[in-house]
Every structure is written in structure tokens, then in C-alpha cells.
Amino acid sequence: MNLAPVEARANAWVDVLAAGARWCAAGAFLYLGLGKALHPVEFLKLVRQYGVLESPWLLNLTAAVLPWLEVACGALLLAGVAVRGTALVLAALLGVFSLLVFGRALEIREATALAFCAIRFDCGCGSGEVLICRKLLENAALAGLCLWQVLHPRLRYCLRPEIVPRATGRAGTAPTRCANNGLAIDISHSEK
Amino acid sequence: MRALPGAVAEAVLVAVGAALVGLVANALSPVGLSLGRDYFPKASAAPPAAEPLAASPKTARGGASAPIDRGAAVRRRLEQRGLRVIAGPEVVGWFGEAQGAQGLTVFIDARNEAQFASGHIPGAWPFDHYRPQLHLPAVLPVCLAALRVVVYCAGGECEDSEFAAVMLRESGVPAANLFVYPGGMTDWVARGQPVEIGPRGSGRYREKPR
């Protein structure tokens, strides 16, 4: 019995799921980023609460650029441009955000003696006042979706999945054009 | 994993490109930030909620953003900034006087325009200190002519009244006339005082909860 068609069909479904995950992450970053970008003063105040950036210039730069950076990355993910690089940037940002939010939640816990998961505050994440445990879980889920894009061997429904050519694979040349009617790129052969 | 180095290089390019997009978007946005300005003049080094504060049993709702009786900590911080604190009962008294004597006491609302429109102390002037160019030309002459200037914001963790008061002082309003009302709108509403909605002098008032 030939299992290749079954495997190919399963792969195709996984690829569709990966693309869906990419669009979900893109939508989340567009929504959250635009919410902050359209109200930069509110975001500036929230960034200041963390007490990490003392210099007014750095504080302003962060509050001014970060929301638009999220919007730009969300747009790139949505269109399928530089997918792995963009997903890596977003995953790294989520990691840093989560650490900061966690640290701030610990400070609030010390000040208020509340249970950790009962702490809620506006973390500047773009979703208003939230329960901190829920926010950390959301961040972990979003980071997971982004890392999936980084590690998934095939990218489908992309305009230009890579803008930096990868190191050549065993075959001697890396695919720089999308396989399968120009909408997908397959790096599985270079993973072996 | 062979794709990872390429992805890292791509990530650097994306981060730089997106940051440049962010700079341009901020410069073009009508609500963009001015990178060189200090929006928090003479800000305290520690973030306010990091201070060990005692939650008021009457007002704490279990969340970090619940109204907190910051009392001594706020007073100390305001004194360090050379500002005077005014409590709710005095503000209510001054408000009553202000109704009969125009210009004796001026109320300055340091929140943003949307918050101001949703409800403010009747007769208060809007002054969003993050966008002073919109408000200072109208507010400053009024403050200079007044005997008492009461600056407030939302109350609780809000610090905008302090920054607005500092800006007014640096613009020439005598420090002796400037008062910060830390309770802000939260305290004002809790005292059952009238709340005007819409623009200043609209004459429309929020119905009191029964």
C-alpha cells in the first residue's frame, strides 16, 4: 500500500493550519498594534509604568515606534512576506513583553498582597486591563504561533516568504521561488 | 534548523525596516509623539504602583487599578515637586464659592479630550498637557488671572494633574495659587457632586446614580 498520497494530504492540511495560524497571529498584532498606535500618549504612560526606560528620549522612541513595528510585522505576516524573520521578531518581542509584564505583576503583588492570578492591570499590550495570568497565557500562545512559522518546513499562501536567501541545501541550491503554483515555499529537503 | 540563520538575518532586516516605518508613521501621525520632549517633567524615579501602598478598605476592589488611598505617598511626592495638595471637602467648598464669584477658583481638567467630554467638574477647563499647543493659549490667561487654580485628573493612579500643574507653574502661574486635587474625578463623583458632560459650559449634566 502506497502511503505517499496520504502523507501528502496530511502535510497539505498541516500547511493550511500553519497558514491559518499565521493569519491569526497577523490579525492579533494588527489589532493590538493599531490600538496603541492610534493612542500613543496612553501607551507612553503605560510604558513609563514599567520604570525600565529612564531617558525621556528612549521612552518616547519606544512608545512611538513599537506599536507601528507591530502593525508592520502584522501586515508582513498577513501578506506572507519575510515570514520566518517577521515571526522571529514577534516571538522575541513577546518574550521580552512577557518578562516585563511578569516582573511588573510581581511588583504589584508585593504592593497589594493579592494572589498572582488575581492581579489585573493595563499592561500596555493593547487589550486594556487584563488578568495577568490570562495575558501571559495569551502571549505564550501567540509566541507559539510565531515559532511555528519559524520552524514549519513549508510556507503556503505567501507573497514572498523569504527575502534573505538561505544557505544552500544538500542539493546545492536553495529554493528561492515558491513551489506549488508560486504560493508556497518548501524547505523540507534542506532540513534533512 | 538550517533555515534558522537565514531567519535571523531576515529578522534583523525586518526589525530595522519596521522600526523605520514606525518612525515615519509617528512623524506623519497627527497624534504622534514628539521624541525630544520630556512628557513627565521631574518624574519620580520609581513607578507609582511599585511603592508599598495600603489599599483603602472602602475603595479597593481587588485589582491593582482600584482606587487607592495614596495619602502620604502622594503628599510627599507633590511636596518634592513643590506642589500643594487639596482634599475633596475643600475642593467642594471652593466649587461652591466659584459659582458666585467668577474667576476666583479655576478648575483645570488634565485628562484627555474624550475623558473630559465624558464628564468633568462644571466649568472646568480642558488641559491635556501632552498636547499643550491645543489648550495652553486658552488656559494660561485664565489661570494667571485666578486666585486659585485646582488641577485634577481621574484620581487613583493618575499623575496627569501633577504634570499639568508643573507645566502651568513653568508657564508662569504662581506656585502659591496652584493646587493638585489627587482624588480627581473619582473622588468628585463619589461625593455626589455635579458632573458636566460634553464641552466646557455645555450646561448638560450627568444624572446622579440613584
Side-chain angles (χ1 to χ4, degrees), chain B residues 16 25 29 55 58 72 85 93 106 109 115 138 149 155 192 196 201 204 210:
Chain B
V16 172
S29 168
K58 281 185 182 174
V85 180
V106 167
D109 190 313
Q115 290 169 324
V149 178
E196 188 178 46
R204 290 184 288 130
R210 296 177 185 180

Side-chain angles (χ1 to χ4, degrees), chain A residues 11-29:
Chain A
N11 280 344
W13 274 109
V14 173
D15 293 347
V16 169
L17 281 177
R22 192 181 84 232
W23 289 326
C24 281
F29 278 103

Side-chain angles (χ1 to χ4, degrees), chain A residues 46-52 100-101 104 107 121-124, chain B residues 47:
Chain A
L46 294 168
V47 172
R48 177 178 167 267
Q49 283 186 358
Y50 287 91
V52 174
L100 290 171
V101 167
R104 175 110 176 102
E107 282 180 3
F121 65 97
D122 190 341
C123 56

Side-chain angles (χ1 to χ4, degrees), chain B:
Chain B
M1 283 297 143
R2 223 177 264 179
L4 206 52
V8 171
E10 199 170 71
V12 172
L13 277 179
V14 166
V16 172
L20 288 176
V21 167
L23 279 174
V24 172
N26 178 68
L28 297 177
S29 168
V31 292
L33 297 174
S34 169
L35 297 184
R37 188 183 151 196
D38 184 359
Y39 286 94
F40 309 102
K42 295 173 187 160
S44 54
E51 297 170 18
L53 301 171
S56 161
K58 281 185 182 174
T59 54
R61 291 178 306 196
S65 59
I68 293 174
D69 177 13
R70 301 185 300 166
V74 169
R75 239 169 239 280
R76 201 166 47 244
R77 195 174 66 227
L78 288 168
E79 281 168 6
Q80 282 170 356
R81 291 179 183 174
L83 296 169
R84 301 167 72 182
V85 180
I86 181 80
E90 284 78 17
V91 175
V92 172
W94 287 0
F95 176 74
E97 292 174 20
Q99 299 301 295
Q102 195 71 26
L104 185 68
T105 302
V106 167
F107 292 92
I108 301 295
D109 190 313
R111 299 171 302 159
N112 65 33
E113 286 162 8
Q115 290 169 324
F116 181 86
S118 72
H120 53 267
I121 294 177
W125 291 78
F127 178 49
D128 180 356
H129 76 97
Y130 296 99
R131 304 170 76 190
Q133 71 279 10
L134 295 182
H135 306 288
L136 203 54
V139 165
L140 190 56
V142 177
C143 291
L144 288 171
L147 288 179
R148 296 184 293 236
V149 178
V150 177
V151 190
Y152 69 90
C153 51
E157 297 296 327
C158 166
E159 289 181 283
D160 289 332
S161 54
E162 299 171 34
F163 296 122
V166 168
M167 181 174 278
L168 287 173
R169 189 180 62 195
E170 288 175 352
S171 300
V173 178
N177 298 357
L178 262 177
F179 298 86
V180 173
Y181 173 25
M185 277 310 288
T186 305
D187 184 67
W188 182 260
V189 171
R191 290 177 188 281
Q193 294 302 306
V195 175
E196 188 178 46
I197 55 176
R200 176 177 186 272
S202 69
R204 290 184 288 130
Y205 291 85
R206 187 189 295 169
E207 281 188 28
K208 290 181 183 177
R210 296 177 185 180

Side-chain angles (χ1 to χ4, degrees), chain A residues 24-128:
Chain A
C24 281
F29 278 103
L30 282 170
Y31 173 76
L32 297 173
L34 276 175
K36 290 180 269 190
L38 297 177
H39 302 97
V41 165
E42 300 308 315
F43 183 55
L44 176 72
K45 288 192 241 180
L46 294 168
V47 172
R48 177 178 167 267
Q49 283 186 358
Y50 287 91
V52 174
L53 300 168
E54 293 296 331
S55 151
W57 191 84
L58 273 180
L59 193 61
N60 296 344
L61 185 71
T62 304
V65 169
L66 205 52
W68 289 111
L69 189 142
E70 287 180 26
V71 171
C73 287
L76 288 175
L77 272 192
L78 190 70
V81 176
V83 173
R84 289 196 175 81
T86 304
L88 201 56
V89 169
L90 291 175
L93 281 178
L94 282 166
V96 174
F97 293 164
S98 298
L99 281 176
L100 290 171
V101 167
F102 182 74
R104 175 110 176 102
L106 287 181
E107 282 180 3
I108 289 174
R109 189 182 66 165
E110 279 182 28
T112 61
L114 287 169
F116 188 80
C117 282
I119 292 170
R120 56 183 299 150
F121 65 97
D122 190 341
C123 56
C125 312
S127 46

